[in-house]
Amino acid sequence: MNNNLDSFKFLKLSRKEYLNMRFKFENNDMNLLQLVCFEEANLILEFMRVKFADDEAAKKQMAEHRDTHMGSQAIHLAAATGNRYMIEVLMLDFEGDPY
């Protein structure tokens, strides 16, 4: 995944479609938020933050999803890449728990 926000917006998906998206990556099942963190796609994360600004339950659901490989959440993937911006967005806007 690249960080091209225009290409991402072109999909014109509903909130529910974003929420239910899953990606297989090396025998791992990740949701969109996890993939965005894994790929360090800051612009797409910002788009998601705005798109889900008024839906706390959906943001929390995305942030709490655990992958099938190690049980990692999006915030763990952001921490593994050392992306401070993503960590802050996940903690403040998605209620991500680093513990």
Side-chain angles (χ1 to χ4, degrees):
M1 172 183 285
N2 65 31
N3 213 11
N4 187 334
L5 184 57
D6 292 333
S7 295
F8 190 76
K9 285 181 176 179
F10 181 76
L11 296 173
K12 297 183 181 179
L13 300 174
S14 69
R15 284 185 186 184
K16 185 176 182 179
E17 289 171 311
Y18 285 121
L19 190 61
N20 293 321
M21 253 186 210
R22 296 294 181 271
F23 300 89
K24 291 283 185 192
F25 179 74
E26 297 180 5
N27 296 322
N28 197 0
D29 179 36
M30 289 193 253
N31 71 6
L32 179 59
L33 187 61
Q34 290 168 309
L35 184 63
V36 165
C37 291
F38 181 78
E39 294 291 337
E40 295 189 81
N42 290 350
L43 294 176
I44 296 173
L45 178 62
E46 181 63 19
F47 169 77
M48 291 176 66
R49 186 183 70 79
V50 171
K51 183 156 187 82
F52 288 94
D54 62 346
D55 193 344
E56 296 300 320
K59 290 190 295 187
K60 188 170 180 135
Q61 180 182 343
M62 283 189 288
E64 289 181 347
H65 179 78
R66 293 187 176 274
D67 68 36
T68 55
H69 179 64
M70 295 181 63
S72 298
Q73 296 174 329
I75 197 161
H76 302 130
L77 298 170
T81 63
N83 191 319
R84 183 182 175 105
Y85 167 75
M86 287 189 156
I87 295 167
E88 289 175 359
V89 168
L90 291 169
M91 289 177 65
L92 298 174
D93 293 314
F94 287 81
E95 298 182 35
D97 183 359
Y99 305 103

